[in-house]
Amino acid sequence: MEGEKNTLVSNSSELEVAKNSVNSNISILVVDDDTTCLAIVAAILKKFKYQVVTVKHPRDALCTLRIKGGAFDLVVSDVHMPDMNGFELQQVIAQEFNLPVV
């Protein structure tokens, strides 16, 4: 059609750049009391160019969310953690913030 711009990506390297630029705007808070799991999940997310912040304790996650306000787009949490499990953390986040928790 006349006057319309073609916005399709022409090759795979341009597609990769497009994917990376989209992911670099997404900030994820990762919560896990297991240091090894925390490092692995963070490394995988960073490989796909997400902005990642890690914390070891659910209460630290809540403090981080309260201090940083709307800085995060998603929370990724372990389920089995001391003091507060992942389901309890999700309930508090649902009450205080408008954030998805995985």
Side-chain angles (χ1 to χ4, degrees):
M1 297 188 169
E2 288 183 44
E4 287 186 23
K5 287 186 176 181
N6 185 354
T7 58
L8 294 176
V9 177
S10 64
N11 64 44
S12 62
S13 65
E14 287 180 15
L15 179 60
E16 192 63 33
V17 168
K19 283 183 190 177
N20 290 339
S21 65
V22 170
N23 291 351
S24 66
N25 295 326
I26 297 174
S27 185
I28 302 173
L29 178 63
V30 182
V31 188
D32 197 323
D33 62 316
D34 182 322
T35 307
T36 303
C37 288
L38 194 64
I40 291 169
V41 171
I44 291 168
L45 292 170
K46 287 177 182 179
K47 179 178 179 177
F48 288 95
K49 307 299 183 200
Y50 292 104
Q51 299 298 313
V52 180
V53 173
T54 59
V55 294
K56 286 190 64 170
H57 303 285
R59 301 220 186 272
D60 292 340
L62 292 172
C63 286
T64 301
L65 289 169
R66 289 174 182 139
I67 291 168
K68 299 225 178 188
F72 296 98
D73 301 296
L74 174 68
V75 177
V76 175
S77 177
D78 183 17
V79 173
H80 300 287
M81 296 180 286
D83 301 323
M84 178 187 290
N85 67 40
F87 297 114
E88 294 166 334
L89 176 62
Q90 186 276 330
Q91 288 177 341
V92 175
I93 291 172
Q95 289 172 355
E96 292 187 38
F97 309 96
N98 185 22
L99 270 178
V101 178
V102 177

